[in-house]
Amino acid sequence: MSMVKFEKIKRPEKIGLPFMLDFYPLQDEKNTRISQFFKSLKEGHLTTTKCKECGKVLWPPRIMCPECLSESLEWVDLGVEGELYAFTEIRLGAPLGFVEDVPFCVGIVKIGSLLISARIDDAKYEDLKIGDKVNLKIVELPDSRVFYRFSKDKEQ
Amino acid sequence: MKQVAIVAGGEAKAGRRAASWRDLVQEAGKALFEDVDNLSPKDVDSIFVGAAQPERFAFLSYVAPLVAEYIGVTPRKVIARTELACVSGQAAIRYAWNCVATGMSDIAVAIGVEKMYQPDMAEAQTTMTCVLDREWDGINCFSAPPIFAVTAQRHMYEFGTTEEQMALVSVKNHHYSSLNPIAHLRKEVTVEAVLKSPVVAPPLKLFDCCPMTDGSAGVILVRAEDAKKYTDTPMYLIGSGQYAIGNVINNLASLAEWVPLKLAAKEAWRTAKITKDDVDIAEVHDCFTISEIMEYEGLGFCETGKGGQFIEDGEPYIGGKVAVNPSGGIMGCGHPLGATSIYHTFEILKQFRGDVDKGRYVEGAEIGIQHSLSGAANLHSILVCSRELR
Ligand SMILES: [Zn+2]
């Protein structure tokens, strides 16, 4: 007869979204040197850094210009309008934290010389075409973090 | 610098496998050493392990010593894991090649492995999504299907490429993979079936996308002058090109034209002293149907914007201008990230040996290339392989 002891052990039934699997970055000045970007966003402004030495507008925002290595950067406002350069709709295969949103549109928005990827809200895939005007939208997370999206202009 | 040859290859059956990460690498390792005479794991002095995301897919870091232990290798010259997303396997081959060419290593193994299947699909997608800049593109859910969807949309917009032309790539590659015993997907598909398959991210449907696949494959590299000690049919590495431009979507050279691929190809042809017309077999990175169309263009097999026409004309079939993905490609064989490039390099060796089904055999092939890309197609990498020493 076996003398081996069996014992049921406990494990947590559910583990919440682990901190580093949350896609949204830490935004305050304790965690990033570009916290000004998120401060501006909270006030309704999408901004980025521009190099004062060589004039290059950098996206995403930086603390150092990769063109000339200058740390002399200034914040510039990108305005509230963009033009849809490309888009698709996520129907299958969204990551954790986004599965509940399916289907949703994502796209690349042209603002001046920049091509910025973003969620495109308030539209279905069929409602969109390349060249459409889209407007800046800010989403607020429950923990007071923020992020930018774009929204289809209903006036069109 | 010494010239370098691949003398053996081994692979695990690709697919949705009832096997763990470490099972897969043991299968490939056993097959690898059974493919070569006069050489055992203990003779190998260096090992490079292509593994893109073992931290997330298998919850393992520091995987090179683990793999060495499991396949019986005692590294005493150089050992490293190579990570370059979908190019991780080719990176392993490139480092092994460099070590043998410089004399730092005598016998080196490049082996890749990825276990892609896991119980939670959303978790797997989360893992994949951090390949693109997670805080600026990944956060917007630009994982592989969406980035290649917008790439396809721009290619259609700028050049008039059609969904039917993209479907033809899937038809061709599933045809060849139906003849490949190690392939993940072994069923033919029709244009209609591709067009009617579930939409993943428009314009991409399920059969425009490669599957999630478990797999592992390895190759052994030695100095060319020593190659015949181990095999009558070595394969020589005669050139390469690799180029990366930007990373975040904003800093890509272009969406609808793969500039870094063109630059990598130019360098590959220059170092191998060949032209694109010398390429008999091209095992290229068809992660999505649009990718292969853009690779015909980027490799110079046709003009920019004419990739759709190229497949419509049957040119990338065996017997056409160049045999593209006679293995069945990623579309048919699957895409276990860290192993993919190595499967395809071994495929070229099998082709040179005549060790493939006659329905997908490229008779008389002398030059084969293996191309991989990663990220938002900001990085492209090409190996040029030759049947003869040149
Ligand atoms: Zn500058």
Side-chain angles (χ1 to χ4, degrees):
Chain A
M1 192 169 162
S2 170
M3 297 298 289
V4 177
K5 183 180 173 186
F6 289 83
E7 181 187 337
K8 279 204 163 57
I9 60 165
K10 281 198 178 128
R11 295 278 290 150
E13 275 173 33
K14 211 170 180 182
I15 299 170
L17 188 66
F19 204 65
M20 291 311 296
L21 283 185
D22 181 2
F23 278 62
Y24 290 94
L26 298 174
Q27 302 182 342
D28 62 32
E29 62 280 354
K30 286 199 187 104
N31 288 290
T32 173
R33 289 178 60 192
I34 61 158
S35 61
Q36 182 60 44
F37 174 83
F38 298 103
K39 264 187 211 141
S40 298
L41 211 51
K42 278 186 181 170
E43 289 156 14
H45 298 284
L46 180 66
T47 58
T48 195
T49 48
K50 181 181 176 182
C51 178
K52 284 179 166 172
E53 295 294 327
C54 74
K56 175 103 175 162
V57 179
L58 304 161
W59 180 268
R62 314 293 170 100
I63 60 165
M64 186 272 282
C65 173
E67 300 295 319
C68 70
L69 306 184
S70 169
E71 289 176 299
S72 175
L73 307 179
E74 60 182 338
W75 290 98
V76 290
D77 198 308
L78 296 175
V80 296
E81 277 181 11
E83 190 185 296
L84 204 52
Y85 179 81
F87 61 93
T88 185
E89 187 170 53
I90 296 181
R91 297 189 187 170
L92 292 171
L96 288 173
F98 298 97
V99 176
E100 298 71 17
D101 299 357
V102 171
F104 59 92
C105 292
V106 299
I108 300 175
V109 177
K110 187 168 167 53
I111 301 178
S113 62
L114 304 178
L115 291 173
I116 297 177
S117 75
R119 290 274 292 261
I120 309 296
D121 279 3
D122 311 311
K124 294 196 190 84
Y125 179 75
E126 291 74 18
D127 303 334
L128 299 171
K129 61 179 190 305
I130 289 175
D132 276 356
K133 205 173 92 177
V134 287
N135 293 320
L136 180 66
K137 169 180 176 177
I138 315 286
V139 289
E140 294 168 312
L141 277 63
D143 58 10
S144 90
R145 285 181 294 168
V146 289
F147 210 70
Y148 55 91
R149 293 185 181 180
F150 286 85
S151 172
K152 172 75 184 288
D153 187 343
K154 298 281 188 204
E155 304 296 287
Q156 281 184 330
Chain B
M1 297 286 271
K2 297 279 189 184
Q3 287 192 286
V4 174
I6 290 176
V7 292
E11 59 204 349
K13 164 97 179 69
R16 181 174 190 161
R17 294 290 315 278
S20 71
W21 193 96
R22 61 188 78 202
D23 294 338
L24 294 164
V25 81
Q26 290 173 80
E27 290 180 21
K30 179 174 166 63
L32 177 61
F33 289 106
E34 286 180 352
D35 189 54
V36 61
D37 299 326
N38 313 319
L39 198 159
S40 82
K42 297 287 172 280
D43 299 316
V44 173
D45 61 35
S46 300
I47 184 165
F48 296 89
V49 177
Q53 301 188 291
E55 285 81 0
R56 294 286 315 127
F57 283 126
F59 201 11
L60 289 169
S61 292
Y62 192 54
V63 294
L66 187 158
V67 169
E69 180 197 297
Y70 267 79
I71 68 171
V73 167
T74 46
R76 47 200 174 266
K77 295 289 173 66
V78 191
I79 170 168
R81 165 185 165 196
T82 61
E83 188 277 305
L84 207 52
C86 309
V87 180
S88 300
Q90 201 195 102
I93 295 176
R94 296 171 80 89
Y95 292 155
W97 178 6
N98 270 274
C99 281
V100 174
T102 57
M104 188 176 271
S105 162
D106 294 320
I107 302 176
V109 161
I111 188 163
V113 53
E114 214 80 44
K115 169 77 186 170
M116 307 287 289
Y117 268 102
Q118 47 188 238
D120 186 346
M121 181 61 174
E123 188 177 341
Q125 289 298 335
T126 303
T127 300
M128 300 281 283
T129 306
C130 72
V131 170
L132 266 66
D133 187 329
R134 192 262 305 158
E135 291 178 50
W136 301 98
D137 289 334
I139 190 168
N140 302 313
C141 298
F142 271 96
S143 63
I147 185 65
F148 286 90
V150 294
T151 300
Q153 185 188 47
R154 288 300 305 189
H155 203 270
M156 293 164 76
Y157 180 78
E158 292 182 33
F159 303 115
T161 302
T162 66
E163 295 186 42
E164 289 77 10
Q165 289 172 331
M166 297 192 317
L168 287 170
V169 172
S170 188
V171 171
K172 172 178 71 69
N173 293 354
H174 282 91
H175 167 67
Y176 289 134
S177 71
S178 76
L179 303 169
N180 187 347
I182 66 98
H184 183 173
L185 303 175
R186 301 205 55 203
K187 268 196 197 138
E188 302 245 14
V189 299
T190 62
V191 169
E192 202 190 12
V194 178
L195 295 177
K196 284 193 173 158
S197 62
V199 177
V200 175
L204 300 179
K205 281 82 60 191
L206 192 61
F207 291 162
D208 285 301
C209 309
C210 67
M212 294 282 275
T213 301
D214 305 329
S216 178
V219 290
I220 301 173
L221 295 84
V222 303
R223 285 184 293 272
E225 66 204 44
D226 299 334
K228 292 278 169 82
K229 277 196 244 173
Y230 306 110
T231 176
D232 295 333
T233 54
M235 174 170 89
Y236 300 94
L237 294 170
I238 62 164
S240 75
Q242 189 175 51
Y243 213 107
I245 298 178
N247 185 62
V248 76
I249 288 173
N250 178 58
N251 295 321
L252 300 176
S254 159
L255 265 187
E257 184 188 352
W258 284 344
V259 178
L261 172 56
K262 292 183 174 179
L263 295 167
K266 194 176 167 194
E267 176 70 357
W269 312 153
R270 187 188 71 78
T271 53
K273 301 186 185 70
I274 62 165
T275 73
K276 63 180 168 43
D277 299 321
D278 296 316
V279 178
D280 302 306
I281 299 170
E283 283 289 321
V284 303
H285 197 97
D286 57 325
C287 46
F288 297 90
T289 49
I290 186 63
S291 318
E292 188 172 305
I293 284 177
M294 291 174 69
E295 283 145 12
Y296 306 148
E297 300 171 8
L299 291 164
F301 298 148
C302 67
E303 281 173 50
T304 301
K306 299 283 173 64
Q309 190 63 48
F310 193 72
I311 177 95
E312 237 178 70
D313 295 342
E315 297 287 17
Y317 276 87
I318 296 167
K321 196 169 178 186
V322 52
V324 180
N325 284 330
S327 66
I330 293 175
M331 195 68 59
C333 297
H335 187 14
L337 310 182
T340 298
S341 314
I342 303 182
Y343 272 105
H344 290 189
T345 303
F346 184 33
E347 161 71 12
I348 298 168
L349 176 62
K350 287 191 286 183
Q351 285 278 355
F352 287 165
R353 289 174 177 174
D355 194 13
V356 300
D357 183 283
K358 66 180 188 319
R360 58 180 202 87
Y361 177 46
V362 186
E363 207 178 336
E366 291 294 331
I367 301 285
I369 62 162
Q370 194 275 311
H371 159 267
S372 296
L373 67 80
S374 49
N378 58 320
L379 187 155
H380 292 261
S381 203
I382 300 166
L383 290 179
V384 185
C385 309
S386 172
R387 183 203 295 269
E388 299 295 337
L389 189 59
R390 297 170 155 234

